[in-house]
Amino acid sequence: MPVKVSVIIPVYNPGIYIEDCITSLQRQSLPPEEYEVIFVDDGSTDATPARLDALAAEDPRMKVIHQENSGWSGKPRNVGIAASRGEFVMFVDNDDYLGDEALERMYDYGVANGADVVVGKMAGKGRGVPVELFRRNHPRATVENAPLIDSLTPHKMIRRAFLDRTGLRFPEGRRRLEDHVFIAEAYLRAENVSVVSDYVCYYHIRRDDSSNAGFERFDPAGYYKNLREALDVVERYTEPGPVRDRLFRRWLRVEMVERLRARRFLNLPDDYRKELFGEIHEVVVERFGPGVAEGLQPTQQVVAALTAADRYDDVVSFAEWEAGIAPKAAPAHVEWRDGSLSIGFTAEYTSGGEPMTFPADAEAAPLNDTPKDVTEAVEWVAAETAARFGQATADLLLRERSSAAQYFQPVEFTRETVPVGDGEVRLVLRATATVDPAGLPGDGVWDAVVRVKLGGWTKECRLGPAPRATRPTPDVGLVGDRPVLPYWTEPHGNLSLQFGARGKRLGLGGVQPMDVTVSGDRFRAPLPLHVEGDSEVRLRFVSSSRILDASGTLSPAPDGRGAVLEAAMPAKDLSRDTWRVALCLTPGADRPRFTGLPFALRAADGQVLVVPVPGPGVALRLARRARRVVGTARRKVVSRIRIGGQ
């Protein structure tokens, strides 16, 4: 069977950090015979060569090529291309890993759309990745209709025939930004580029020891010499004008201006700052016309203008002012509505911890001349930010805590100017996001992150803190077959969602026995859970000698607050004994988990009474007796009914 994808991985002394990469490649949903993995060992001096040889000996998908150290990743990737047999090649770094369905999804999407280049959604663990590019899928993306240029790392899937037709290969030798040169040319020469945004394909990882090549301090002269080569590619394949300016703007913004802003710049040693500034100044003056900087945001325009004018001290002062600016997002409401979680919040920027203010009567004005000093620069930024308030946006992203996968949630917002006196206003965004838990994959903890674009800033912050006395506290929601718990973190009071909540996290411990009613062979209990309609659940009754199962139904409470559990008790089987009651909200799960409810049933004299749960000692003895009675076959099931509601 033809190979669909060849995964190419340059390897140099990754140590244990290669293990997650290997595991993710072995877990791929693409059939084993349809992909191959080519590790190109670039002269590793650790135990990696032996590890890879052993891997290749036991797994026919894995191949290893050993070569002398070439100094960087370009040559190993080219060697991998030459050895590949796949219709597409996929480039992966040895300390990153793939989503389980990455190869299959990217390949299928590329074939369906006739793409030469396929870009998969990225998640960054400890390092930045593009955000705007992955708002939605792009079946036919170009550098003009999508922010492709924001993603210049090599971690793409590329059609092998396209590489052969164009002769495109990575620059080799010890150098920086070889991926920029390669990917920029690929974007500009491809017949089509497709972007997969509905599934996290690539996890970009910062090592615990921060030894990734991208985090090493670089030599400014060599770095910006290599950057000029990427600019050369753009000049080769575009005409002078708006498109070229827009592409150049990416390097001016990301590789130059952003390196000279706020704490990122201030945290560098002074001698290195000056050297970095000097090299950036030379590129700005040498390569960029006025149309490049004009498209930047106000703060970025100021830094670019001061840099072009060679005013190092003013760039430092402006960075000191910007270092105190941060967004703040305050929660307004968090409540279940029609099966989704509605999250209201306000967002604005602060300076030194206080809300920023702006001139009320500001009008937009171009930055025709370099500001004469930092005070004038700050005044222009404030006026321009207020004048552009109609372009400000607020987004809510949910970010999975363990993997850093993140997804935009639908948001509606309004912009409000709040007068504060002396001709000044606060610029406040009032937003409501709608979270459909069914659209988020897997269990785990998801943090609510607010992304605010205003004037020259695009920054993120957690949603919170919410004061303990006034914070909204919605119930756990049962969405599909997943319990979803909105909660506030401690001690910071930020909003998070736990998918697959169980045990005490379900909040069932407050149910009072007096609120539980028994009628004939049925009982009814109010529970602090949100359900949209009737949901089937499982119940387990545990005594000192037996375990009995029954089905039940959760329904919305008539008064709209919480849910009602109704179930038929196995009354004929209830002997004169005390029975713990446990609830399973996911009866269809492979390993159903039960949570103990805070009441028990006692059968006596032909009737069933609702009684408090026996004390811990009594309950533990009951559970132990039950284990002995039911035997080994059901021991694991009983052990999952935790005492105290776990």
Side-chain angles (χ1 to χ4, degrees):
M1 181 175 291
V3 175
K4 291 181 176 179
V5 182
S6 297
V7 183
I8 298 170
I9 307 170
V11 178
Y12 181 72
N13 289 353
I16 62 172
Y17 295 99
I18 199 173
E19 295 303 326
D20 286 343
C21 180
I22 292 171
T23 301
S24 76
L25 292 165
Q26 293 178 319
R27 283 200 309 258
Q28 288 302 298
S29 61
L30 198 65
E33 66 275 10
E34 295 184 359
Y35 72 99
E36 64 178 358
V37 179
I38 303 172
F39 295 94
V40 183
D41 173 38
D42 197 41
S44 293
T45 58
D46 62 2
T48 302
R51 168 72 175 102
L52 295 178
D53 288 341
L55 177 68
E58 66 186 25
D59 189 335
R61 295 170 294 183
M62 310 293 166
K63 299 174 176 58
V64 184
I65 299 172
H66 298 285
Q67 66 180 31
E68 293 184 1
N69 183 257
S70 66
W72 212 249
S73 300
K75 183 174 181 179
R77 293 192 185 109
N78 290 340
V79 169
I81 293 171
S84 65
R85 298 179 295 128
E87 181 183 351
F88 284 81
V89 295
M90 173 77 192
F91 299 105
V92 177
D93 283 347
N94 61 194
D95 38 22
D96 296 333
Y97 62 89
L98 298 177
D100 292 354
E101 301 173 22
L103 298 183
E104 182 176 17
R105 285 176 177 255
M106 293 176 72
Y107 175 84
D108 288 348
Y109 201 64
V111 171
N113 294 291
D116 288 328
V117 180
V118 185
V119 185
K121 181 182 179 75
M122 301 179 72
K125 296 185 70 174
R127 59 191 311 170
V129 296
V131 176
E132 296 297 331
L133 177 60
F134 300 121
R135 279 185 178 270
R136 61 177 180 84
N137 288 347
H138 297 269
R140 302 195 64 82
T142 69
V143 294
E144 297 181 56
N145 68 17
L148 282 176
I149 203 66
D150 287 352
S151 181
L152 290 176
T153 62
H155 315 120
K156 316 287 188 285
M157 186 177 286
I158 302 181
R159 191 180 295 272
R160 173 66 192 273
F162 166 71
L163 294 176
D164 291 342
R165 182 176 71 250
T166 59
L168 181 59
R169 294 296 186 270
F170 287 90
E172 297 184 2
R174 186 164 181 82
R175 48 172 298 120
R176 294 277 186 169
L177 303 179
E178 83 291 343
D179 46 356
H180 287 207
V181 175
F182 179 89
I183 295 298
E185 184 169 345
Y187 286 158
L188 292 169
R189 301 185 70 181
E191 292 186 7
N192 184 38
V193 180
S194 295
V195 181
V196 177
S197 298
D198 56 1
Y199 179 81
V200 178
C201 299
Y202 197 93
Y203 292 86
H204 206 21
I205 310 301
R206 180 171 185 165
R207 293 185 187 180
D208 295 336
D209 59 4
S210 297
S211 61
N212 310 70
F215 289 100
E216 297 174 0
R217 183 171 295 171
F218 57 78
D219 166 54
Y223 189 89
Y224 289 101
K225 177 183 177 182
N226 294 153
L227 185 145
R228 287 175 172 89
E229 296 174 19
L231 303 181
D232 291 341
V233 168
V234 174
E235 289 186 341
R236 188 178 308 131
Y237 294 104
T238 64
E239 297 295 328
V243 173
R244 179 182 292 180
D245 286 348
R246 186 184 307 125
L247 298 179
F248 275 179
R249 193 173 300 133
R250 186 269 175 210
W251 281 277
L252 174 60
R253 172 173 52 86
V254 178
E255 304 297 340
M256 301 179 201
V257 167
E258 289 301 313
R259 294 185 183 277
L260 303 178
R261 291 180 69 184
R263 297 190 187 282
R264 183 177 183 182
F265 188 47
L266 299 175
N267 289 340
L268 298 173
D270 188 57
D271 57 344
Y272 185 79
R273 282 202 315 236
K274 290 179 178 177
E275 183 182 4
L276 181 68
F277 175 84
E279 293 296 333
I280 291 174
H281 164 73
E282 288 189 12
V283 179
V284 170
V285 172
E286 170 192 317
R287 300 298 294 263
F288 298 143
V292 179
E294 283 177 3
L296 294 173
Q297 295 298 317
T299 49
Q300 296 166 342
Q301 286 191 50
V302 166
V303 175
L306 294 174
T307 302
D310 202 16
R311 286 165 52 181
Y312 170 79
D313 290 339
D314 283 343
V315 170
V316 173
S317 297
F318 192 76
E320 290 171 343
W321 171 69
E322 273 204 283
I325 295 173
K328 180 179 180 180
H333 71 263
V334 181
E335 57 190 35
W336 293 102
R337 295 178 182 174
D338 301 324
S340 296
L341 192 66
S342 178
I343 301 175
F345 61 92
T346 60
E348 64 182 313
Y349 273 91
T350 64
S351 179
E354 297 297 324
M356 292 185 72
T357 60
F358 303 85
D361 56 353
E363 295 183 1
L367 188 67
N368 292 323
D369 298 309
T370 305
K372 69 174 185 287
D373 54 31
V374 172
T375 298
E376 184 177 278
V378 170
E379 291 175 350
W380 180 79
V381 166
E384 197 70 9
T385 299
R388 297 186 184 199
F389 187 42
Q391 302 172 21
T393 61
D395 281 297
L396 182 81
L397 296 96
L398 288 183
R399 181 174 297 156
E400 208 274 320
R401 191 175 295 174
S402 64
S403 69
Q406 59 185 13
Y407 293 87
F408 283 97
Q409 304 303 301
V411 172
E412 295 182 355
F413 62 85
T414 58
R415 305 176 183 94
E416 180 178 338
T417 56
V418 181
V420 293
D422 298 326
E424 296 283 302
V425 294
R426 289 164 51 193
L427 304 179
V428 179
L429 292 154
R430 298 188 182 277
T432 299
T434 302
V435 177
D436 179 7
L440 294 167
D443 291 340
V445 175
W446 295 75
D447 295 322
V449 177
V450 175
R451 181 177 174 88
V452 185
K453 296 177 69 174
L454 172 67
W457 302 283
T458 301
K459 295 178 181 287
E460 296 177 351
C461 65
R462 291 292 306 278
L463 178 53
R468 187 180 299 275
T470 59
R471 64 180 56 163
T473 54
D475 294 332
V476 171
L478 188 59
V479 181
D481 61 351
R482 284 198 298 176
V484 180
L485 168 66
Y487 73 98
W488 303 96
T489 63
E490 294 294 347
H492 302 295
N494 297 320
L495 181 65
S496 295
L497 307 180
Q498 183 177 357
F499 286 63
R502 59 179 185 267
K504 289 184 178 179
R505 302 287 283 173
L506 293 175
L508 304 180
V511 177
Q512 299 298 316
M514 66 184 68
D515 296 326
V516 181
T517 58
V518 174
S519 177
D521 65 349
R522 301 187 66 82
F523 79 88
R524 188 173 189 272
L527 299 180
L529 296 170
H530 173 82
V531 292
E532 277 301 301
D534 292 349
S535 298
E536 183 180 346
V537 295
R538 273 177 69 185
L539 290 162
R540 180 156 287 168
F541 303 88
V542 181
S543 75
S544 61
S545 58
R546 285 189 297 168
I547 294 177
L548 302 174
D549 283 352
S551 61
T553 303
L554 272 177
S555 304
D559 61 3
R561 301 188 327 192
V564 175
L565 170 65
E566 292 195 63
M569 301 176 294
K572 295 180 181 179
D573 296 322
L574 294 182
S575 59
R576 299 174 62 89
D577 210 338
T578 299
W579 297 79
R580 286 290 313 268
V581 184
L583 172 67
C584 175
L585 294 173
T586 55
D590 293 335
R591 295 184 61 198
R593 295 179 179 272
F594 288 82
T595 297
L597 296 177
F599 59 87
L601 302 177
R602 179 176 297 161
D605 300 326
Q607 61 179 327
V608 178
L609 304 176
V610 181
V611 298
V613 173
V618 175
L620 189 57
R621 287 196 298 273
L622 288 175
R624 286 173 178 168
R625 288 180 191 171
R627 291 191 188 101
R628 288 197 297 270
V629 171
V630 299
T632 303
R634 301 186 68 181
R635 188 171 299 157
K636 292 181 180 179
V637 176
V638 179
S639 68
R640 289 199 296 272
I641 304 175
R642 301 290 189 237
I643 304 303
Q646 291 294 322

